[in-house]
Amino acid sequence: MSEKLLEIKNLKTSFRIKDDYYAAVDDVTLTLNKNEVLGIVGESGSGKSALAFSVMGLHNRAKIEGNILFKDQDIANISPAKLNKLRGDDMAMIFQDPLTALNPLMIVGDQISETLLLHKKNMSQKQRKDRVISLLDQVGIPYPEHVYNQFPHELSGGMRQRVIIAIAIANQPELLIADEPTTALDVTIQAQILDLIKDLKDDMNTGIILITHDLGVVAEMADRVAVMYAGQIVEIADVHTLFENPLHPYTRSLLNSVPNTQEGQDKLHVIQGIVPSLSKLPREGCRFAARMPWIDESVHEENPVLHEIKPGHFVRCTCHKHFYFPDESKEDSNHGVS
Amino acid sequence: MWKFIVRRLVITFPQIILLSVLVFIMAQMMPGDALSGMIDPNIDPAAIEKQRENLGLNDPWHERYVDWVGGLLQGDLGESFRFKMEVTELVEQRLINSFWLGVATLFFTYLIAIPLGIISGRWNDTWGDQLITGYTYIGFATPLFIFALVMLWVFGFQLQWFPTGGSVEPGLTPGSFDYVWSKFQHLLLPALSLALIATVNTVQYLRSEIVDTKQKDFIITARAKGASESRVYNRHIFRNSLLPIAAFFGFEITGLIGGTVFVEQIFGYPGMGLLFMESILLRDYTVVIAVVLLFGIASILGALISDIILSLVDPRIRIK
Ligand SMILES: Nc1ncnc2c1ncn2[C@@H]1O[C@H](COP(=O)(O)OP(=O)(O)OP(=O)(O)O)[C@@H](O)[C@H]1O
Ligand SMILES: [Mg+2]
């Protein structure tokens, strides 16, 4: 029953810094089915947005290699005109920062209306306006007729994020990429926005890529989760497996760095170091190795690849078999590996 | 928005009052008065003193100020000692000439700035942009009076495409087609000279606005909607970049005043700038003061126009 919507094959997105290209997304392979939510998690700088922008074709000066098959059409190598037919119509994106993603000099109504104007050629002006108002209503904006004529700066962050969502869903896209749709918002609004996205999925059968570094959001929303580190997917599994039986040292560190009140854990594991900057990324061997210096270097693969541990559960490198946290003993580290 | 405009208008009054006080003080510091220049030296000083008393020249300064302002409001700017005529009358024709010079200059300024700024900003860091940026650097570095002289020499004297002085051919009937055409011809070279130099600010400003706007997040939003490149530029980038330029319009007027003083002098164009220079050289103080006052008022109005345009085009100001 699961129909493939998006298939990313060996995607490599590189930015030019000085005279060289550096990959921010490095050999990513993924699929997304209809009516599925795929969570993508990873620290700041791990390449999540770069991946999302590649799918939407929004990179200005990046080198993109590999294939992105959307409904069996390779959108990584497609004419701008054809891409523009898809963007905003069949595929749409919700942006990270609601404060800057709207044109400050244009009323909100016109900004939403533009999406309709571009894709629904036979809609009359009146029909468009009615549709925009019902969209504003749908995303939970009070007094939509009034808000229609307001400028972005007159709205709160939460309201602006709803407007951005309204733009994204205006044409009922089959693919929706939500890039940290709630990071800029406070907790109550966060929950409302997430509910909104969930409703959309149920109403429209949309396939959703949900990018976030909030594992709570992932647990609540996602069907499957991909963990990204330094431009690569280091682990991918369905949401239960990932939380119950995380394998990759990075995934385990991420999960371990979330305060867990239920188990009364008092120590919080903090991942040492930071994601290296693009030009300083290790390009050979296990990219996470430098951040687990207490583990013997010989346990890493020379060229780490994704291993399918169980159907649908992939993990990169073999180092996970030998990983333990510095405050654990070696013996109880082997959990989860049969 | 109306609230903003009304408030802005209200601020203009103290500005004009302050200006008038400054000009008045300046006038007081000028040597001599209405009775020192035009009087027969053989008259008894006591009689002059009596006349001074009658004319109110010995009143305390604030009374004289009120008197002076009262005169101004009735259009009495005093009398030019050189031309022996009412300053108002003298200024009228000059003001009209300067007005048209200003209009033509602004027209050329934007005519040059908008396409160049757009090309330069849209295709930044291409050879076209570098060419335009090169021109703006030359424009910044070239003093206006030298450039105007070169223009006059090349196009006026060498090529003889344009008249080299005055504001109209003598002997034409005012209002006739020939008269208007001749006025236009006289206007062209000074206006172009001024515009070619003055426009470089606007070119650079527009370029950097566009380069800046191009990288804004809402441009990505527009692309993600499926807007074509040309729509993204026309609907979002140019629109958003041109609006602040429109707001500079008023300040452009202020900037023009300095320019006209040079250019009118060089082209012998009888406008306010030339009048200003002539009156200073001839110590025709009543005229100098009247011109300074008018320049001051033009600057204040320029700033006012800018703010009003800005409030019309930028919704973020409209509300406050
Ligand atoms: N246009 C660009 N030019 C050069 N480098 C870029 C560009 N965009 C992103 N990068 C670099 O690519 C890497 C990945 O960035 P990306 O924005 O995808 O991270 P992210 O996972 O979305 O982080 P965050 O959680 O902070 O949004 C970073 O090192 C970033 O500096
Ligand atoms: Mg990001």
Side-chain angles (χ1 to χ4, degrees):
Chain A
M1 65 153 264
S2 54
E3 252 180 288
K4 254 184 216 167
L5 180 66
L6 181 74
E7 202 175 353
I8 300 173
K9 287 183 186 160
N10 307 101
L11 178 70
K12 185 168 175 179
T13 302
S14 322
F15 296 113
R16 197 182 163 144
I17 301 172
K18 303 224 174 77
D19 287 328
D20 281 310
Y21 280 96
Y22 295 93
V25 175
D26 204 347
D27 198 23
V28 164
T29 299
L30 273 183
T31 52
L32 175 75
N33 296 323
K34 284 187 180 162
N35 198 15
E36 182 187 38
V37 178
L38 172 68
I40 296 184
V41 290
E43 280 163 290
S44 215
S46 52
K48 305 180 301 290
S49 298
L51 172 62
F53 274 50
S54 307
V55 175
M56 293 291 292
L58 290 172
H59 284 301
N60 251 350
R61 301 182 189 183
K63 191 166 78 181
I64 304 218
E65 294 155 281
N67 308 90
I68 303 170
L69 300 176
F70 176 60
K71 297 197 293 178
D72 300 322
Q73 186 171 190
D74 189 358
I75 54 174
N77 308 291
I78 192 178
S79 74
K82 278 188 180 157
L83 185 61
N84 280 333
K85 279 223 170 76
L86 295 174
R87 292 200 285 210
D89 195 14
D90 298 334
M91 58 191 213
M93 181 159 171
I94 299 171
F95 293 94
Q96 203 164 346
D97 188 355
L99 300 186
T100 57
L102 294 172
N103 187 336
L105 302 184
M106 219 186 215
I107 58 170
V108 159
D110 285 347
Q111 302 200 41
I112 303 172
S113 190
E114 189 175 21
T115 328
L116 301 171
L117 181 77
L118 289 165
H119 299 286
K120 299 277 184 289
K121 303 281 183 217
N122 46 15
M123 246 180 165
S124 72
Q125 203 171 340
K126 171 86 176 57
Q127 284 171 318
R128 275 204 304 274
K129 182 160 184 177
D130 290 346
R131 169 88 178 122
V132 169
I133 287 172
S134 84
L135 277 165
L136 286 170
D137 191 45
Q138 194 186 342
V139 296
I141 290 180
Y143 311 111
E145 285 92 355
H146 176 65
V147 171
Y148 185 98
N149 289 310
Q150 282 190 305
F151 287 94
H153 71 272
E154 298 173 74
L155 304 174
S156 68
M159 287 298 141
R160 285 189 233 182
Q161 189 61 291
R162 285 161 200 254
V163 171
I164 293 165
I165 294 175
I167 291 173
I169 64 171
N171 291 318
Q172 299 177 304
E174 293 166 67
L175 168 65
L176 181 65
I177 302 177
D179 189 359
E180 311 201 19
T182 58
T183 12
L185 309 173
D186 62 59
V187 186
T188 34
I189 317 263
Q190 254 186 37
Q192 292 172 12
I193 300 273
L194 291 176
D195 283 343
L196 189 67
I197 294 177
K198 254 191 201 159
D199 291 347
L200 284 175
K201 191 191 89 165
D202 298 338
D203 293 352
M204 308 190 288
N205 245 358
T206 308
I208 297 178
I209 293 181
L210 179 66
I211 296 172
T212 176
H213 29 222
D214 186 338
L215 290 165
V217 170
V218 172
E220 193 188 318
M221 302 278 297
D223 301 311
R224 274 190 309 134
V225 187
V227 180
M228 265 186 100
Y229 182 78
Q232 293 183 322
I233 289 180
V234 293
E235 187 163 3
I236 185 163
D238 68 83
V239 68
H240 292 293
T241 313
L242 194 96
F243 279 90
E244 297 301 317
N245 186 20
L247 291 181
H248 195 277
Y250 181 59
T251 316
R252 289 180 58 191
S253 308
L254 274 182
L255 288 172
N256 225 335
S257 60
V258 179
N260 189 338
T261 43
Q262 279 145 13
E263 286 174 25
Q265 210 181 32
D266 49 9
K267 258 182 285 174
L268 198 60
H269 179 78
V270 178
I271 313 174
Q272 296 185 352
I274 48 160
V275 182
S277 75
L278 213 47
S279 52
K280 301 212 175 65
L281 269 189
R283 301 279 167 192
E284 273 160 18
C286 181
R287 294 185 179 190
F288 195 61
R291 294 178 73 182
M292 37 194 269
W294 62 93
I295 304 289
D296 187 11
E297 281 182 25
S298 65
V299 305
H300 299 288
E301 269 173 276
E302 205 166 313
N303 284 309
V305 290
L306 283 171
H307 303 277
E308 189 159 17
I309 304 290
K310 280 187 190 140
H313 186 179
F314 294 84
V315 64
R316 194 176 290 273
C317 195
T318 47
C319 61
H320 66 91
K321 292 179 184 157
H322 309 276
F323 179 77
Y324 57 93
F325 288 114
D327 46 14
E328 284 177 339
S329 66
K330 255 185 176 179
E331 282 64 52
D332 41 76
S333 70
N334 278 356
H335 86 287
V337 184
S338 40
Chain B
M1 178 178 68
W2 289 114
K3 240 163 110 190
F4 173 86
I5 292 178
V6 167
R7 258 193 10 216
R8 185 61 187 76
L9 276 170
V10 170
I11 301 174
T12 309
F13 285 105
Q15 282 180 330
I16 290 183
I17 290 171
L18 186 67
L19 172 75
S20 72
V21 170
L22 288 175
V23 171
F24 178 73
I25 292 173
M26 196 178 95
Q28 294 305 304
M29 292 188 333
M30 300 276 179
D33 60 33
L35 291 182
S36 38
M38 47 190 205
I39 281 219
D40 183 343
N42 302 323
I43 294 181
D44 175 13
I48 294 178
E49 203 42 48
K50 189 148 177 282
Q51 192 61 21
R52 281 226 160 87
E53 197 60 47
N54 286 345
L55 284 171
L57 291 175
N58 290 339
D59 291 350
W61 71 269
H62 56 269
E63 281 179 30
R64 274 179 290 139
Y65 172 72
V66 171
D67 250 23
W68 180 70
V69 171
L72 287 184
L73 291 179
Q74 288 160 26
D76 178 9
L77 287 167
E79 189 173 290
S80 156
F81 105 88
R82 177 174 57 129
F83 295 98
K84 296 281 179 280
M85 64 198 279
E86 289 288 315
V87 174
T88 348
E89 224 174 292
L90 178 65
V91 159
E92 192 190 335
Q93 194 50 48
R94 302 293 192 113
L95 202 58
I96 293 173
N97 284 344
S98 276
F99 172 79
W100 286 114
L101 178 61
V103 169
T105 305
L106 285 175
F107 175 75
F108 288 128
T109 300
Y110 287 107
L111 192 71
I112 300 166
I114 290 173
L116 292 194
I118 284 180
I119 292 170
S120 201
R122 173 159 187 176
W123 291 283
N124 62 318
D125 301 328
T126 60
W127 63 266
D129 172 39
Q130 278 157 7
L131 215 66
I132 292 168
T133 306
Y135 157 58
T136 62
Y137 285 165
I138 293 171
F140 279 127
T142 311
L144 176 61
F145 60 94
I146 291 183
F147 181 69
L149 274 176
V150 172
M151 292 285 278
L152 179 66
W153 185 74
V154 174
F155 296 103
F157 289 107
Q158 296 303 310
L159 299 170
Q160 307 208 333
W161 290 354
F162 297 99
T164 55
S167 74
V168 69
E169 196 92 346
L172 296 170
T173 341
S176 68
F177 174 78
D178 285 344
Y179 181 84
V180 174
W181 178 241
S182 161
K183 280 229 139 188
F184 178 69
Q185 280 182 316
H186 282 79
L187 200 80
L188 219 48
L189 198 54
L192 266 175
S193 308
L194 201 49
L196 279 166
I197 294 293
T199 197
V200 297
N201 285 306
T202 317
V203 174
Q204 273 303 309
Y205 190 74
L206 183 54
R207 176 189 186 274
S208 67
E209 272 300 312
I210 290 174
V211 171
D212 209 45
T213 312
K214 271 206 306 209
Q215 292 156 355
K216 292 274 167 69
D217 283 352
F218 66 82
I219 299 304
I220 297 176
T221 309
R223 292 214 173 91
K225 288 179 196 172
S228 65
E229 223 30 25
S230 66
R231 189 182 166 91
V232 167
Y233 270 95
N234 295 331
R235 273 311 166 100
H236 294 275
I237 299 177
F238 294 153
R239 212 180 85 111
N240 284 46
S241 313
L242 281 168
L243 294 186
I245 301 287
F248 263 32
F249 179 74
F251 294 115
E252 209 68 65
I253 297 176
T254 315
L256 267 184
I257 293 173
T260 48
V261 173
F262 287 118
V263 166
E264 289 182 5
Q265 175 84 355
I266 287 163
F267 290 92
Y269 183 85
M272 294 295 284
L274 186 60
L275 182 63
F276 182 64
M277 291 306 285
E278 288 170 346
S279 334
I280 286 183
L281 292 175
L282 295 166
R283 300 203 167 71
D284 197 350
Y285 298 121
T286 32
V287 180
V288 173
I289 283 160
V291 174
V292 168
L293 189 67
L294 288 171
F295 280 172
I297 289 173
S299 303
I300 291 174
L301 291 182
L304 176 71
I305 292 174
S306 268
D307 282 351
I308 289 178
I309 295 178
L310 197 63
S311 80
L312 292 176
V313 299
D314 193 331
R316 284 164 296 192
I317 291 180
R318 236 183 264 178
I319 306 307
K320 284 170 202 153

Coordinates of all heavy atoms in Angstrom, one line a residue, chain A residues 48-50 96 179-180 211, ligand 2:
Chain A
K48 N 20.8 19.4 7.1 CA 19.4 19.2 6.9 C 18.7 20.1 5.9 O 18.0 19.7 5.0 CB 18.7 19.2 8.3 CG 19.3 18.3 9.3 CD 18.6 18.4 10.7 CE 18.6 19.7 11.3 NZ 19.8 20.3 11.8
S49 N 19.0 21.4 6.2 CA 18.4 22.4 5.3 C 19.0 22.3 3.9 O 18.2 22.5 2.9 CB 18.6 23.8 5.8 OG 18.0 24.0 7.0
A50 N 20.2 22.0 3.8 CA 20.9 21.9 2.5 C 20.2 20.8 1.7 O 20.0 20.9 0.5 CB 22.4 21.6 2.7
Q96 N 12.2 27.7 7.9 CA 12.7 27.7 9.3 C 12.3 29.0 10.0 O 11.9 28.9 11.2 CB 14.2 27.5 9.2 CG 14.9 27.0 10.4 CD 16.3 26.5 10.1 OE1 16.7 26.4 9.0 NE2 17.0 26.2 11.2
D179 N 10.9 22.5 7.3 CA 12.2 22.7 7.9 C 12.1 23.4 9.2 O 12.0 24.6 9.3 CB 13.1 23.5 6.9 CG 14.5 23.6 7.3 OD1 14.9 23.0 8.4 OD2 15.3 24.2 6.6
E180 N 12.2 22.6 10.3 CA 12.1 23.2 11.6 C 10.9 24.2 11.7 O 11.1 25.3 12.0 CB 13.4 23.8 12.1 CG 14.5 22.9 11.8 CD 15.8 23.2 12.6 OE1 15.7 23.9 13.6 OE2 16.8 22.8 12.2
I211 N 11.9 18.2 9.3 CA 13.3 18.5 9.8 C 13.2 19.1 11.1 O 12.5 20.1 11.3 CB 14.0 19.4 8.8 CG1 14.2 18.7 7.4 CG2 15.4 19.7 9.3 CD1 14.7 19.5 6.4
Ligands
MG2 MG 18.5 24.4 8.8

